[in-house]
Amino acid sequence: MSLNIRSGDVEVWRDESASPADRAADLVSRMTLEEKAAQLVGVWVGADASGGGVAPLQQDLAADPIDWEAVTRHGLGQLTRPYGTAPIDPVVAARSLAISQEHIVGQSRFGIPALVHEECLAGFAAWQATAYPIPLAWGATFNPALIERMSNTIGHTMRAAGIHQGLAPVLDVARDYRWGRTEETISEDPHLVGAIGSAYVKGLENSGVIATLKHFAGYSASRAGRNLAPVSMGPREFADVILPPFEAALRHGGARSVMHSYTEIDGVPSAADKKLLTGILRDRLGFDGTVVADYFGIRFLERLHRVAADGTAAAGLALDAGVDVELPTVDTFGAPLLAGVAGGRIDEKLVDRAALRVLTQKISIGLLDDSWSSLPANVDSLDLDTAEGQELAAQIARESLILLSNPKRMLPIAPATTIAVVGPLAADPMAMLGCYSFPAHVGSKHPEVALGIDIPTVVDAMGTTFASITHAQGCTVDGPEIDEIADAVAAARDAEVCVVVLGDRAGLFGRGTSGEGCDAADLRLPGVQADLLSALLDSGTPVVVVLLAGRPYALGDAVTRAAAIVQGFFPGQRGASAITDLLSGEFSPSGRLPVSIPREAGSQPGTYLTVPLGAKSGVSNLDPSPAFPFGHGIGYSSFEWSDVGERSGRTEWDADGEVTVEVTVTNTGDMRAADVVELYLHDPVAQVTRPIQRLIGFARVELDPNESANVAITASADLTAFTGLDGTLIVEPGAVELRVARSSGDIHTTIELDLVGPLREVGPDRVLTSVNIVTPVALPELEVVR
């Protein structure tokens, strides 16, 4: 990098003691238009154009082969997924990446390396990398600290491989479970999404990897649950439900990148929405990082949204709106952008602005420092599936499994019990993985290559714990065949207990029943799985239902007829072991529902965040009440809650103050177990309609038998804020209720308070989270009798 660009000139960009912004500004001033534009694009080498791709319309937009020499002639902004495009040995991939970086540095007059990004939603999306549970499973843990540990571990693995940016987390709030990407969401509740999502961001950022918040914003509310469909949403719902998780992750997580959404809201595509990407994101929320395009999203302004006549127009709209980097590969920010500047259609100042942001970020992570190396340290011992990662995956799987019902105490099952393990997912290792795990995302296109990691099936795992196991498939995940149902029923009749494993097959763009582009017409179990379940329930043998899915499904009369129901959301490579340990009583389940379980298959859209008119009433014959509500989950132990109330016993809550709700939790069972205290806000009367209740705090507490702990949740009045009639965010005085609950449908104690003081406007600096403190309660000392 020892270049002399201008004789006698002070090259601030080389000065490592200068600020990244000053160094980047100096560098931009020295670059040609072609060099600046080169920093605004990624290049995706080896992208599949066969029709089995991982991005929308990839077969059309990645069809032309990459001319490596030409696209790197002036440098390069990003390299797209060098590990995550095909099954490649990690050490080979690392060395290949180093060669690519050396070429890019050599091509650039300024010796600027590319920033390298990968997917990391369910772990580093690379061959032989740990496959963690999906985001819905993170939400089910109600344990932000555990998710922070996971993302930090993922980040350190990625940094060891030479990766700088991870395209995660997804902070879309689940709004319609039919949407295929529900599995990528954390929850239907924005407070839970914000808490868990911020923890993920914090862990990834603290590892040195840039976290990318996606999809900004509103993508999950696509009409009829269809991928990329328009969004029908007013500004109030957008501000009160969609934005808060992004605000929390920016402020508390420190995210340095944001990805625009594919969607359009009120006719304006997100990639061209200056009000969204500049007015809200930068001006109001204070974001100063980079905005990257979702794959091919800028070209979609022409091809899908039809708000641009050609690539040049699309590039100009995106740049003006605030998009800095085109991913996954060079397209509209290539020749169309250069032609637009030359022809006066695009202001070069927009290119300068984006280049400044990109180069500031590159400098901030050390890519232009003399100590930078193209080859990661200890590359020959690179291990993407460490013992630490496997143990974390196992712990998250265990904490994410939700015991929905166990009315006759069928669970846990004794080891000597004769068990029929049936269902389409009982013997399928892929049943554990979401669509952004590498084996499902990419590996499925390479059946000749091994999975790369050990993923036991439920049958395999149960066979190591229970003495007598028989297996019958019964049906496929989504096929129409019912011929094998009789075999499964026969196996059930010959057993003391039947465990049926049902749910989804993760995939992309119609190649699965859950995942990106795998939307559902309704919430019936796919294929003939409901027929299988019904036949098993009629067999006379107690049936334990285990669900491994990417969305909640309506289970019909199984809700009351099943001996027990366990809900899992693609629990990762150690999921089968976690399921077996739950069934055998090795641990007490502690997961809580991050989404409601619908009672009726056609009851969408709707979540627990409904206003009064969305609830059951006498004006409609349809009852939208869930079969199992948000926050629900039971275990094998029992807990007593006592001394519940506001700490000071007051009845007034200052509109600019805070209150602390306390509860003493005691494990009255005979095994170590965890309980979750949930705090909901109910606003009886407001100037606009409000959700009947919404989560504003929670605390998970793990206790030994007879052990107690004091749980204190401190909530700022800011957490009561909502968008008022005039469109501003306000704290409105008046009566409110704080509901201390085991779930949104199981309220233990209601605390009535009056918010007092003048109506108060709040801004982007408002308090977004509660503060939770769990303190063990000392047991009384026993008098020793001598």
Side-chain angles (χ1 to χ4, degrees):
M1 293 191 194
S2 56
L3 303 171
N4 289 310
I5 304 302
R6 297 178 185 173
S7 178
D9 198 2
V10 177
E11 295 180 317
V12 176
W13 70 274
R14 295 179 183 278
D15 183 0
E16 294 181 20
S17 67
S19 72
D22 287 344
R23 293 175 68 187
D26 181 59
L27 191 52
V28 169
S29 72
R30 301 167 183 272
M31 300 173 84
T32 65
L33 173 63
E34 289 77 10
E35 289 170 330
K36 290 181 289 189
Q39 293 299 313
L40 310 186
V41 297
V43 165
W44 195 2
V45 177
D48 180 11
S50 67
V54 299
L57 302 189
Q58 181 177 322
Q59 67 274 17
D60 299 326
L61 299 177
D64 296 332
I66 294 293
D67 185 337
W68 178 245
E69 292 292 331
V71 299
T72 59
R73 183 171 297 131
H74 300 288
L76 183 64
Q78 293 210 14
L79 277 169
T80 293
R81 299 172 66 168
Y83 290 82
T85 299
I88 305 173
D89 178 270
V91 174
V92 174
R95 292 193 172 278
S96 175
L97 173 58
I99 292 170
S100 297
Q101 287 281 40
E102 289 166 5
H103 172 83
I104 293 164
V105 168
Q107 291 285 84
S108 167
R109 283 196 304 140
F110 303 94
I112 306 171
L115 189 148
V116 186
H117 79 258
E118 290 282 358
E119 298 284 359
C120 59
L121 188 66
F124 181 11
W127 192 54
Q128 299 184 351
T130 306
Y132 291 89
I134 63 169
L136 272 181
W138 313 347
T141 69
F142 275 67
N143 190 344
L146 180 60
I147 304 310
E148 182 178 341
R149 283 178 54 205
M150 177 196 72
S151 63
N152 191 257
T153 301
I154 293 170
H156 282 294
T157 302
M158 295 172 72
R159 287 298 297 123
I163 307 304
H164 310 109
Q165 182 170 2
L167 302 187
V170 170
L171 297 183
D172 297 303
V173 178
R175 302 300 284 164
D176 187 332
Y177 312 136
R178 295 173 298 182
W179 190 48
R181 303 190 79 166
T182 295
E183 68 168 65
E184 299 177 47
T185 69
I186 294 169
S187 173
E188 67 185 48
D189 181 87
H191 185 87
L192 184 58
V193 175
I196 297 289
S198 295
Y200 181 99
V201 170
K202 187 176 180 180
L204 198 66
E205 287 282 355
N206 285 344
S207 75
V209 172
I210 297 166
T212 309
L213 310 183
K214 58 186 193 181
H215 308 84
F216 196 73
Y219 187 21
S220 57
S222 57
R223 194 176 297 158
R226 294 180 61 250
N227 195 37
L228 272 69
V231 170
S232 302
M233 178 187 296
R236 184 166 290 105
E237 180 182 354
F238 186 81
D240 293 349
V241 177
I242 301 300
L243 283 183
F246 290 94
E247 296 181 67
L250 289 173
R251 192 192 311 171
H252 300 303
R256 289 178 285 175
S257 190
V258 170
M259 175 180 281
H260 77 70
S261 166
Y262 282 133
T263 197
E264 64 176 72
I265 299 177
D266 195 25
V268 182
S270 296
D273 194 340
K274 189 172 184 178
K275 178 181 178 182
L276 174 68
L277 300 182
T278 297
I280 293 176
L281 180 61
R282 295 191 183 276
D283 296 344
R284 191 203 305 176
L285 302 184
F287 177 67
D288 61 0
T290 57
V291 173
V292 300
D294 205 344
Y295 283 15
F296 308 114
I298 301 175
R299 179 62 76 173
F300 287 173
L301 296 176
E302 175 202 359
R303 294 283 185 90
L304 299 182
H305 298 292
R306 300 181 186 176
V307 296
D310 54 23
T312 295
L317 284 172
L319 274 175
D320 185 54
V323 180
D324 303 310
V325 179
E326 180 174 44
L327 297 180
T329 202
V330 57
D331 182 16
T332 68
F333 278 17
L337 171 59
L338 297 176
V341 174
R345 295 173 63 187
I346 298 175
D347 190 338
E348 188 172 353
K349 290 180 180 178
L350 296 176
V351 178
D352 293 346
R353 182 180 70 177
L356 179 64
R357 292 168 180 164
V358 168
L359 291 169
T360 298
Q361 192 160 87
K362 284 190 173 187
I363 292 167
S364 72
I365 63 173
L367 291 187
L368 271 72
D369 291 352
D370 288 337
S371 60
W372 176 83
S373 173
S374 62
L375 193 65
N378 305 313
V379 67
D380 290 327
S381 59
L382 184 61
D383 183 1
L384 307 185
D385 188 27
T386 63
E388 178 189 9
Q390 292 178 30
E391 179 52 39
L392 263 176
Q395 183 178 353
I396 296 166
R398 287 161 71 109
E399 293 192 15
S400 72
L401 293 175
I402 307 153
L403 181 57
L404 296 179
S405 68
N406 190 24
K408 297 182 179 179
R409 301 293 189 267
M410 179 59 64
L411 299 182
I413 303 172
T417 305
T418 300
I419 306 173
V421 185
V422 305
L425 300 179
D428 185 357
M430 297 300 288
M432 303 299 150
L433 306 182
C435 79
Y436 268 78
S437 295
F438 184 86
H441 200 68
V442 176
S444 60
K445 298 183 297 177
H446 301 272
E448 75 285 358
V449 179
L451 288 176
I453 52 176
D454 178 40
I455 311 175
T457 68
V458 173
V459 168
D460 292 338
M462 291 186 67
T464 66
T465 298
F466 297 99
S468 180
I469 296 289
T470 58
H471 170 249
Q473 179 171 302
C475 66
T476 62
V477 170
D478 57 349
E481 301 82 8
I482 61 173
D483 298 345
E484 296 183 29
I485 290 180
D487 295 336
V489 171
R493 286 175 175 157
D494 290 339
E496 295 174 87
V497 176
C498 174
V499 174
V500 58
V501 189
L502 306 170
D504 280 316
R505 180 183 68 254
L508 294 163
F509 307 109
R511 302 192 295 273
T513 61
S514 174
E516 185 173 359
C518 297
D519 309 314
D522 56 40
L523 297 175
R524 296 177 178 87
L525 283 164
V528 295
Q529 292 184 70
D531 297 321
L532 171 63
L533 178 55
S534 180
L536 293 170
L537 291 170
D538 289 338
S539 70
T541 299
V543 177
V544 175
V545 180
V546 175
L547 297 157
L548 300 174
R551 63 166 64 85
Y553 283 106
L555 301 176
D557 62 0
V559 168
T560 55
R561 295 182 65 197
I565 304 175
V566 177
Q567 175 72 64
F569 294 109
F570 291 139
Q573 70 184 67
R574 289 292 172 260
S577 298
I579 291 164
T580 298
D581 288 346
L582 183 153
L583 296 178
S584 65
E586 188 70 20
F587 70 94
S588 177
S590 63
R592 300 293 187 266
L593 281 174
V595 288
S596 307
I597 303 295
R599 186 177 303 277
E600 301 291 341
S603 62
Q604 284 300 296
T607 71
Y608 97 101
L609 290 176
T610 183
V611 299
L613 280 179
K616 180 182 178 180
S617 69
V619 299
S620 173
N621 63 311
L622 297 179
D623 181 1
S625 302
F628 298 102
F630 170 83
H632 171 75
I634 59 176
Y636 297 147
S637 193
S638 56
F639 290 89
E640 178 183 286
W641 291 8
S642 59
D643 303 322
V644 184
E646 202 282 324
R647 173 178 286 171
S648 64
R650 59 184 169 175
T651 59
E652 291 188 343
W653 183 0
D654 291 338
D656 59 354
E658 60 186 27
V659 295
T660 299
V661 174
E662 292 186 313
V663 54
T664 298
V665 179
T666 302
N667 184 348
T668 56
D670 57 5
M671 67 187 301
R672 183 171 178 81
D675 201 9
V676 178
V677 178
E678 302 168 26
L679 183 65
Y680 293 87
L681 172 73
H682 170 61
D683 192 347
V685 179
Q687 60 180 255
V688 297
T689 59
R690 302 293 299 133
I692 295 171
Q693 60 185 352
R694 59 185 178 91
L695 189 73
I696 63 168
F698 62 88
R700 184 181 187 275
V701 54
E702 193 165 349
L703 299 169
D704 287 323
N706 300 315
E707 186 180 12
S708 299
N710 176 267
V711 175
I713 302 176
T714 299
S716 166
D718 287 5
L719 294 176
T720 72
F722 61 90
T723 303
L725 284 170
D726 64 357
T728 60
L729 204 60
I730 60 170
V731 173
E732 184 182 42
V736 296
E737 293 179 5
L738 294 180
R739 297 176 172 179
V740 184
R742 290 189 166 91
S743 77
S744 60
D746 185 1
I747 309 301
H748 180 277
T749 301
T750 296
I751 303 169
E752 297 181 351
L753 296 167
D754 281 319
L755 270 171
V756 295
L759 185 146
R760 183 168 65 91
E761 288 189 15
V762 294
D765 60 343
R766 73 189 189 282
V767 176
L768 295 168
T769 60
S770 58
V771 177
N772 314 316
I773 299 176
V774 177
T775 307
V777 175
L779 295 173
E781 294 186 9
L782 297 176
E783 182 180 352
V784 178
V785 179
R786 300 184 182 275

